[in-house]
Short mmCIF file of all heavy atoms in Angstrom, two decimals:
data_model
loop_
_atom_site.label_atom_id
_atom_site.label_comp_id
_atom_site.label_asym_id
_atom_site.label_seq_id
_atom_site.Cartn_x
_atom_site.Cartn_y
_atom_site.Cartn_z
N LYS I 2 228.71 123.83 -0.24
CA LYS I 2 228.15 124.99 0.42
C LYS I 2 227.61 125.98 -0.62
O LYS I 2 228.32 126.37 -1.54
CB LYS I 2 229.23 125.66 1.27
CG LYS I 2 228.68 126.75 2.18
CD LYS I 2 229.78 127.30 3.07
CE LYS I 2 229.25 128.39 3.99
NZ LYS I 2 230.31 128.92 4.86
N ILE I 3 226.37 126.39 -0.44
CA ILE I 3 225.74 127.31 -1.38
C ILE I 3 225.79 128.73 -0.80
O ILE I 3 225.38 128.96 0.34
CB ILE I 3 224.28 126.92 -1.65
CG1 ILE I 3 224.22 125.51 -2.24
CG2 ILE I 3 223.63 127.90 -2.62
CD1 ILE I 3 222.81 125.00 -2.45
N ASN I 4 226.33 129.65 -1.55
CA ASN I 4 226.38 131.05 -1.14
C ASN I 4 224.97 131.60 -1.01
O ASN I 4 224.14 131.39 -1.90
CB ASN I 4 227.19 131.85 -2.17
CG ASN I 4 227.42 133.28 -1.72
OD1 ASN I 4 226.49 134.08 -1.67
ND2 ASN I 4 228.66 133.59 -1.41
N HIS I 5 224.70 132.31 0.07
CA HIS I 5 223.33 132.80 0.30
C HIS I 5 222.91 133.82 -0.76
O HIS I 5 221.73 133.95 -1.08
CB HIS I 5 223.21 133.39 1.70
CG HIS I 5 223.81 134.75 1.85
ND1 HIS I 5 225.13 134.97 2.12
CD2 HIS I 5 223.24 135.99 1.75
CE1 HIS I 5 225.38 136.26 2.19
NE2 HIS I 5 224.25 136.92 1.97
N LYS I 6 223.87 134.57 -1.33
CA LYS I 6 223.54 135.55 -2.35
C LYS I 6 223.05 134.88 -3.63
O LYS I 6 222.08 135.30 -4.25
CB LYS I 6 224.77 136.42 -2.66
CG LYS I 6 225.16 137.34 -1.51
CD LYS I 6 226.30 138.27 -1.91
CE LYS I 6 226.62 139.24 -0.77
NZ LYS I 6 227.70 140.18 -1.14
N ILE I 7 223.74 133.80 -4.02
CA ILE I 7 223.32 133.05 -5.22
C ILE I 7 221.96 132.42 -4.98
O ILE I 7 221.08 132.45 -5.85
CB ILE I 7 224.37 131.97 -5.56
CG1 ILE I 7 225.71 132.63 -5.93
CG2 ILE I 7 223.88 131.09 -6.70
CD1 ILE I 7 226.84 131.64 -6.15
N ALA I 8 221.77 131.83 -3.80
CA ALA I 8 220.49 131.20 -3.47
C ALA I 8 219.36 132.22 -3.48
O ALA I 8 218.24 131.95 -3.94
CB ALA I 8 220.59 130.53 -2.11
N PHE I 9 219.65 133.42 -2.96
CA PHE I 9 218.64 134.49 -2.93
C PHE I 9 218.21 134.87 -4.34
O PHE I 9 217.02 134.98 -4.64
CB PHE I 9 219.23 135.70 -2.19
CG PHE I 9 218.33 136.91 -2.18
CD1 PHE I 9 217.14 136.89 -1.46
CD2 PHE I 9 218.67 138.05 -2.88
CE1 PHE I 9 216.31 138.00 -1.44
CE2 PHE I 9 217.85 139.17 -2.86
CZ PHE I 9 216.66 139.14 -2.14
N LYS I 10 219.19 135.05 -5.24
CA LYS I 10 218.88 135.44 -6.62
C LYS I 10 218.09 134.35 -7.34
O LYS I 10 217.11 134.62 -8.03
CB LYS I 10 220.18 135.74 -7.38
CG LYS I 10 220.87 137.02 -6.92
CD LYS I 10 222.15 137.26 -7.69
CE LYS I 10 222.83 138.54 -7.22
NZ LYS I 10 224.09 138.80 -7.96
N ILE I 11 218.52 133.09 -7.16
CA ILE I 11 217.83 131.98 -7.81
C ILE I 11 216.40 131.86 -7.31
O ILE I 11 215.46 131.65 -8.09
CB ILE I 11 218.60 130.66 -7.59
CG1 ILE I 11 219.95 130.69 -8.32
CG2 ILE I 11 217.77 129.46 -8.07
CD1 ILE I 11 220.83 129.51 -8.03
N THR I 12 216.21 132.01 -6.01
CA THR I 12 214.87 131.92 -5.42
C THR I 12 213.95 133.01 -5.97
O THR I 12 212.80 132.73 -6.34
CB THR I 12 214.95 132.06 -3.89
OG1 THR I 12 215.80 131.03 -3.37
CG2 THR I 12 213.57 131.93 -3.27
N ILE I 13 214.45 134.23 -6.06
CA ILE I 13 213.63 135.35 -6.56
C ILE I 13 213.27 135.12 -8.02
O ILE I 13 212.12 135.35 -8.44
CB ILE I 13 214.38 136.68 -6.38
CG1 ILE I 13 214.61 136.99 -4.90
CG2 ILE I 13 213.62 137.82 -7.06
CD1 ILE I 13 213.33 137.06 -4.10
N ILE I 14 214.23 134.63 -8.81
CA ILE I 14 213.96 134.40 -10.24
C ILE I 14 212.91 133.30 -10.43
O ILE I 14 212.00 133.42 -11.25
CB ILE I 14 215.28 134.04 -10.97
CG1 ILE I 14 216.19 135.28 -11.04
CG2 ILE I 14 214.98 133.53 -12.39
CD1 ILE I 14 217.59 134.98 -11.53
N ILE I 338 214.23 143.81 -6.28
CA ILE I 338 214.29 142.92 -5.11
C ILE I 338 215.72 142.41 -4.91
O ILE I 338 216.25 142.40 -3.79
CB ILE I 338 213.31 141.75 -5.28
CG1 ILE I 338 211.87 142.26 -5.26
CG2 ILE I 338 213.52 140.71 -4.18
CD1 ILE I 338 210.84 141.22 -5.62
N ILE I 339 216.37 141.98 -6.01
CA ILE I 339 217.72 141.42 -5.91
C ILE I 339 218.72 142.46 -5.39
O ILE I 339 219.65 142.13 -4.66
CB ILE I 339 218.16 140.86 -7.28
CG1 ILE I 339 217.39 139.56 -7.57
CG2 ILE I 339 219.66 140.60 -7.31
CD1 ILE I 339 217.68 138.97 -8.92
N SER I 340 218.50 143.72 -5.80
CA SER I 340 219.43 144.78 -5.38
C SER I 340 219.10 145.36 -4.01
O SER I 340 219.76 146.30 -3.57
CB SER I 340 219.43 145.91 -6.43
OG SER I 340 218.14 146.48 -6.55
N ASN I 341 218.09 144.80 -3.34
CA ASN I 341 217.70 145.30 -2.02
C ASN I 341 218.48 144.55 -0.93
O ASN I 341 218.21 143.37 -0.66
CB ASN I 341 216.19 145.10 -1.81
CG ASN I 341 215.69 145.79 -0.56
OD1 ASN I 341 216.32 145.74 0.49
ND2 ASN I 341 214.53 146.42 -0.66
N PRO I 342 219.45 145.20 -0.29
CA PRO I 342 220.28 144.51 0.72
C PRO I 342 219.49 144.08 1.95
O PRO I 342 219.83 143.08 2.60
CB PRO I 342 221.35 145.56 1.08
CG PRO I 342 220.73 146.88 0.72
CD PRO I 342 219.85 146.61 -0.45
N TYR I 343 218.43 144.81 2.28
CA TYR I 343 217.62 144.48 3.46
C TYR I 343 216.93 143.14 3.26
O TYR I 343 216.95 142.28 4.16
CB TYR I 343 216.60 145.58 3.70
CG TYR I 343 215.60 145.26 4.80
CD1 TYR I 343 215.97 145.27 6.14
CD2 TYR I 343 214.28 144.94 4.48
CE1 TYR I 343 215.05 144.96 7.14
CE2 TYR I 343 213.36 144.64 5.47
CZ TYR I 343 213.74 144.64 6.79
OH TYR I 343 212.84 144.34 7.77
N LEU I 344 216.33 142.93 2.09
CA LEU I 344 215.65 141.66 1.82
C LEU I 344 216.65 140.52 1.73
O LEU I 344 216.37 139.40 2.18
CB LEU I 344 214.87 141.78 0.50
CG LEU I 344 213.66 142.73 0.51
CD1 LEU I 344 213.03 142.81 -0.88
CD2 LEU I 344 212.62 142.27 1.53
N GLU I 345 217.81 140.79 1.16
CA GLU I 345 218.84 139.76 1.07
C GLU I 345 219.30 139.33 2.46
O GLU I 345 219.50 138.13 2.73
CB GLU I 345 220.03 140.29 0.27
CG GLU I 345 221.13 139.26 0.09
CD GLU I 345 222.34 139.83 -0.63
OE1 GLU I 345 222.15 140.55 -1.65
OE2 GLU I 345 223.46 139.57 -0.18
N GLU I 346 219.44 140.29 3.37
CA GLU I 346 219.87 139.98 4.73
C GLU I 346 218.80 139.18 5.47
O GLU I 346 219.11 138.25 6.22
CB GLU I 346 220.18 141.29 5.46
CG GLU I 346 220.69 141.10 6.90
CD GLU I 346 221.99 140.33 6.97
OE1 GLU I 346 222.70 140.24 5.94
OE2 GLU I 346 222.29 139.80 8.07
N PHE I 348 216.67 137.16 4.10
CA PHE I 348 216.74 135.82 3.51
C PHE I 348 217.88 135.03 4.14
O PHE I 348 217.72 133.85 4.49
CB PHE I 348 216.93 135.95 2.00
CG PHE I 348 217.02 134.63 1.28
CD1 PHE I 348 215.87 133.95 0.87
CD2 PHE I 348 218.25 134.05 0.99
CE1 PHE I 348 215.96 132.73 0.21
CE2 PHE I 348 218.34 132.83 0.33
CZ PHE I 348 217.19 132.18 -0.06
N ARG I 349 219.04 135.67 4.31
CA ARG I 349 220.20 134.99 4.89
C ARG I 349 219.91 134.55 6.33
O ARG I 349 220.22 133.43 6.72
CB ARG I 349 221.41 135.92 4.86
CG ARG I 349 222.71 135.25 5.34
CD ARG I 349 223.83 136.26 5.52
NE ARG I 349 223.55 137.15 6.66
CZ ARG I 349 223.78 136.81 7.93
NH1 ARG I 349 224.25 135.61 8.24
NH2 ARG I 349 223.51 137.67 8.90
N LYS I 350 219.30 135.44 7.11
CA LYS I 350 219.03 135.13 8.52
C LYS I 350 218.01 134.00 8.64
O LYS I 350 218.12 133.16 9.55
CB LYS I 350 218.51 136.37 9.23
CG LYS I 350 219.58 137.42 9.49
CD LYS I 350 219.01 138.64 10.21
CE LYS I 350 220.09 139.67 10.50
NZ LYS I 350 219.55 140.86 11.19
N PHE I 352 217.25 131.50 6.35
CA PHE I 352 217.58 130.20 5.77
C PHE I 352 219.04 129.79 5.94
O PHE I 352 219.37 128.61 5.76
CB PHE I 352 217.24 130.19 4.28
CG PHE I 352 215.78 130.37 3.99
CD1 PHE I 352 215.28 131.59 3.57
CD2 PHE I 352 214.90 129.31 4.15
CE1 PHE I 352 213.93 131.76 3.31
CE2 PHE I 352 213.55 129.46 3.89
CZ PHE I 352 213.05 130.71 3.47
N PHE I 353 219.94 130.72 6.28
CA PHE I 353 221.36 130.38 6.31
C PHE I 353 222.04 130.63 7.65
O PHE I 353 223.14 130.15 7.85
CB PHE I 353 222.11 131.17 5.21
CG PHE I 353 221.91 130.62 3.83
CD1 PHE I 353 220.76 130.95 3.09
CD2 PHE I 353 222.83 129.78 3.25
CE1 PHE I 353 220.57 130.46 1.82
CE2 PHE I 353 222.64 129.28 1.99
CZ PHE I 353 221.51 129.61 1.27
N GLU I 357 225.24 128.55 9.10
CA GLU I 357 226.52 129.21 9.32
C GLU I 357 226.99 129.04 10.75
O GLU I 357 228.19 128.95 11.05
CB GLU I 357 226.41 130.69 8.95
CG GLU I 357 226.24 130.92 7.46
CD GLU I 357 225.93 132.37 7.12
OE1 GLU I 357 225.80 133.17 8.07
OE2 GLU I 357 225.83 132.70 5.93
#
Side-chain angles (χ1 to χ4, degrees):
K2 189 176 180 180
I3 301 176
N4 186 291
H5 77 274
K6 292 185 177 181
I7 296 175
F9 176 68
K10 290 179 180 180
I11 292 174
T12 302
I13 296 302
I14 291 170
I338 294 171
I339 287 176
S340 61
N341 189 318
Y343 173 72
L344 293 176
E345 182 184 316
E346 182 62 19
F348 179 85
R349 185 190 69 80
K350 288 180 178 179
F352 297 102
F353 283 82
E357 291 172 357

